[in-house]
Every structure is written in C-alpha cells, then in structure tokens.
Amino acid sequence: MDVVIGLEVHVQLNRLKTKLFCSCPLDYHGKEPNTHVCPVCLGLPGAMPVVNKEAVKAAIKVALALNADINPVMRFDRKNYFYPDLPKGFQISQYDMPLAWGGYVTIETENGEKRVTLKRIHMEEDPGKLSYKGSITTARYSLIDYNRSGVPLLEIVTEPVLNSPKEARALLNNLRIILEYLDVFDGDLEGAMRVDANISIAGGGRVEIKNISSFKGVEKALTYEITRQKNLLRRGRKIERETRHFDEANNITVSLRSKEEEQDYRYFPEPDLVPIHTHEFIEEVKATLPEMPWEKRDRLIAQYGLSMEKAKILVLDPKMADYFERVAEKIDPKVSASWIVDVLRGELNYRDMSFAEGERRLTSDELIELLGYFLKGEITEKGVVEVIRAKLDESGSVREIIERKGLFSIPKEEIDRLCREAIEKNPKAVEDYRAGKKQAANFLVGYVMKMTRGRADPGETAKRIRELLEEIT
C-alpha cells in the first residue's frame, strides 16, 4: 500500500525580541502565565496590530535559504475559527498572498538523497497555550496561558511527497539544522517547532494529526496511524477525512473532529494591516545569509581533508562545527574531528549537554591542551577519555585532573622494567607463547596495564612484550 505524507511545520521565530504585532517580549518561557500580554495580543476591542519588521526579515531569510520563490507583495488575512486559545476569534495568518511559494529541503533516505518539495511558506501569529490536567481526552477542563499568543510563526508546508515516518523525521531534523544556522530559531525551547501531519494510504481518505510537539512524536504518530488505517482497509472499512490528536502517553492517535476545509475558515484580508512589498527587504537580507550546512560540509572536506562521514556529522550543529575549526587550528584536523565526533559528542549527549557555552564543559582551548599531551605520548587514549568525562562532571583544569588522577604516561624505561617483570613472574604465559599460543602475550600486557593502572600505552606495551618474548624464544 502506498503511504503519502505531507507536513505542516510551525516554526517560532523565537530569536526575535518582540511578538509579531505588538511590543510584548518573547522571552516568556518560565514566566508566570498571562504576564507577557497586552491589548493587541489579547485581541481586545480597538487594539491595532503593527507588523514587526524584524520578523518579516527573519521570515524572508528562511524562505531564501529554502530556495523558495518570495512573493513581491504579501498580505495578512484573517483565518476565522473559534477556540479558547484564540481570544480574537480569528488568527492573523496568510492565505492567497503568502510570503513564498515552493522551495525544497534535501534529506538522506535508504535510496540516497531525496528532494522534499515545499508547497508554501507563510507567516502567522501563534495562539495561546492550553494546558490539560491529564490528557486532552480525559481532562475535565483546560487552563489558558496567553503569553505565547502573538509569537511570530512561520508555517512551512511540504507537498505530499514523503513516504514513511523515517523520511518525515529526517525532514524535520534537516529543517531544524537549517533554521539554527540562520540564527532565527532556538529549537531547544518548548513549543519552538510543532507539526501537523497529513497522511493517507492508497484507497483511503486524508487524515490530519494535529500539534505534535517532538520529532520522535511525529514518527510514532505516523507509524501508529499507518497501522490503524491499514487495519481498517483490510476489514473493508472506509477511512474518513478527519482531524486526530496524538496521545503521547499512550502512543496512539484519537479522533478530535471531522477535517476542516479551507472554506470553513472564511479567509478575508486583514483590514488593519496593509500589504507588504518584500523587495524592500530581500537584498538586505541576502547579505546576511550565513554559510549553510551543505556549503560548510563541502568546505570542511576541501579545507581539512575530512571524510564525508565526519563532515556530515560536524555540520549537524553549527556550534560543533565552529568548535572543531577552533581546535583544528592547532591540532591535526583529522585527529580533532575524530575526538570531537566519536568521543566528545557522545559524552555531551549522554549528559544532555551541548557544544553551547556553559558551565563544566571542555572548551576548545582545553581540548587543544589535552590532545597536545596525547600526541606527545604524555597521556594515553584511555586517559584522554577519562579527562573529558572529568571535565564535564567536575571542576579543575586539564592538567590538575591529569595530575590528580595520575594519568600522565609512565616513562619508557619503567615500561621496559615492568614488561621484564611480567615475563619473569608469569612463566606459564611465556611457556604458552613459546608453544605457539600467541594470545598469551595479551595476558602479559594486561599485567603491565594493571601495574600502571592503565597509564601505559597498550600498543607500545604489547610491542615491547613481543620483542622480549621473541628474544627468549
């Protein structure tokens, strides 16, 4: 059965300072409910909206990065529907004259690269936030916080060209990376990106799943919905067009209402806002476009000789890519990339930390210092990992941690003495080696590693053990 998926991605332009149509501050996270509000975002009678020029510029920046065709003139419209989180009884959005048409995002699939085409990009205001005691299906009442009402939103609508939940998640991951490179969006903030997913299976009607708040949730909701719809079709049941809600606690979708049509919203031009001529901003915004992730990936490969695999991972996070380049100025780029991608990234993820500035993290200068000790043979690979973990969990400089934990490598003369001691005190292992059991050398290496508490270089130790054993043989 053919699965067809289209996404409507609602992105907060939350790097701005104020809301879309008023001067209320955007830093509402963690604040008391209904304290970042005014007559405009509360929709009080007589309150007049004024467009935030910086929000328009940020929106154009996104449209340019997504290769969309920007409308010469865009207009705001009233989208009429009644819901508790919308105090005006309508949402200021865009209909037939949106910010932009078309565009695309490229994703990796099992069959190679796929270009996910976009249908449109438009601006609108965020509604307030509803909170339920329990779930939406069991709560007896809901509470409303209007702090979010009026936050600038971009709705990025894909064509129905996705064919699996994995492809949908890949699109969202890539879209988030692009938005963070543009510095218009902080994806770590609650509610920063929300998704409405439309899904149909050949032979059935289109179902919309509303307000999914996480990428993992999108994948789970779509997976469940595919199974539900296939089961209905197998039983000869008809799949009705409807709007459903994803219950994250139970990983199921539940029916909310029949699917709305465009005419149900009774769009008409917003009479309090004039059309906006976008050409006044496009050239100015073009000059501010940063190096995009695919451009940075190609440059890292060309400039530093990195593999495609390493470069792709580094550009997943602009902060990680910048961190790498600072380290690569002083340490061999391939060595730097290996430690950052294969070790440091994993340790940060394990602790739910990032490459952003913060307390108790390993700065680029500290990693340069640490890798310097490693490349000079003064600390082992195991010791480097131990220092990284200590830096993320404790206080102290790199050198203090190395000295406190006794991680500086043992001198070669001492290693040689301990290797001879291992051979002298373990004649059975020597006998086994002479009898052709070459793995017996590993036992002797283990003896030395134990005596040095892991401070000896395993490779060098193994090499010296074998040299001494061959002399005896």
Side-chain angles (χ1 to χ4, degrees), residues 184-252:
V184 298
F185 163 86
D186 183 352
D188 291 330
L189 294 176
E190 183 264 337
M193 185 183 283
R194 306 188 298 280
V195 181
D196 296 343
N198 293 278
I199 179 170
S200 63
I201 295 177
R206 178 164 58 92
V207 172
E208 182 178 31
I209 312 168
K210 296 286 284 186
N211 288 323
I212 312 172
S213 59
S214 70
F215 297 175
K216 187 184 294 184
V218 170
E219 190 171 6
K220 287 182 177 180
L222 290 169
T223 300
Y224 173 84
E225 192 59 24
I226 289 170
T227 302
R228 185 188 74 85
Q229 292 186 27
K230 284 182 176 179
N231 287 338
L232 286 175
L233 291 172
R234 286 193 190 101
R235 295 198 296 267
R237 301 274 297 277
K238 183 180 178 182
I239 299 175
E240 303 288 347
R241 289 192 57 153
E242 64 174 332
T243 297
R244 298 178 71 86
H245 166 75
F246 178 56
D247 182 345
E248 293 191 21
N250 299 302
N251 289 325
I252 62 173

Side-chain angles (χ1 to χ4, degrees), residues 239-309:
I239 299 175
E240 303 288 347
R241 289 192 57 153
E242 64 174 332
T243 297
R244 298 178 71 86
H245 166 75
F246 178 56
D247 182 345
E248 293 191 21
N250 299 302
N251 289 325
I252 62 173
T253 66
V254 293
S255 183
L256 285 179
R257 56 187 178 270
S258 60
K259 182 78 180 77
E260 302 96 337
E261 304 291 343
E262 284 188 349
Q263 61 265 26
D264 295 331
Y265 293 120
R266 294 175 290 114
Y267 284 99
F268 64 85
E270 168 57 67
D272 295 330
L273 294 169
V274 299
I276 296 174
H277 294 266
T278 56
H279 66 83
E280 298 176 11
F281 306 103
I282 290 176
E283 291 306 316
E284 177 187 348
V285 172
K286 275 184 180 178
T288 68
L289 284 174
E291 182 181 45
M292 298 310 294
W294 52 90
E295 295 170 335
K296 188 180 288 287
R297 176 201 64 201
D298 293 344
R299 181 177 62 78
L300 294 183
I301 292 170
Q303 183 174 340
Y304 298 104
L306 301 184
S307 67
M308 174 65 79
E309 180 187 6

Side-chain angles (χ1 to χ4, degrees), residues 336-354:
S336 303
S338 180
W339 279 100
I340 291 168
V341 168
D342 299 333
V343 181
L344 180 56
R345 177 168 165 262
E347 295 292 338
L348 289 169
N349 288 341
Y350 177 76
R351 292 162 177 78
D352 197 25
M353 298 169 73
S354 73

Side-chain angles (χ1 to χ4, degrees), residues 115-158:
R115 181 175 288 191
V116 179
T117 51
L118 306 180
K119 182 177 182 180
R120 58 184 279 147
I121 303 172
H122 68 257
M123 300 183 70
E124 62 186 22
E125 60 180 342
D126 213 349
K129 180 185 177 184
L130 295 175
S131 298
Y132 301 94
K133 187 174 177 59
S135 73
I136 191 172
T137 55
T138 60
R140 298 177 60 188
Y141 60 87
S142 61
L143 300 174
I144 308 173
D145 180 6
Y146 287 118
N147 281 346
R148 197 177 73 183
S149 180
V151 167
L153 272 189
L154 269 190
E155 184 170 336
I156 301 169
V157 184
T158 77

Side-chain angles (χ1 to χ4, degrees), residues 60 140 149 155 159 214 280 387 404 426 447 461 471:
I60 290 173
R140 298 177 60 188
S149 180
E155 184 170 336
E159 295 285 4
S214 70
E280 298 176 11
V387 174
R404 183 172 75 241
N426 296 280
Y447 176 93
T461 302
E471 288 178 11

Side-chain angles (χ1 to χ4, degrees), residues 170-184:
L171 170 76
L172 295 171
N173 282 330
N174 285 11
L175 191 55
R176 173 174 174 162
I177 293 167
I178 291 169
L179 292 167
E180 292 191 334
Y181 267 79
L182 295 173
D183 199 29
V184 298

Side-chain angles (χ1 to χ4, degrees), residues 24 48 74 126 157 220 258 267 280 315 365 412 420:
C24 289
M48 297 288 285
M74 71 174 187
D126 213 349
V157 184
K220 287 182 177 180
S258 60
Y267 284 99
E280 298 176 11
V315 301
D365 285 341
K412 285 187 178 180
R420 293 177 185 278

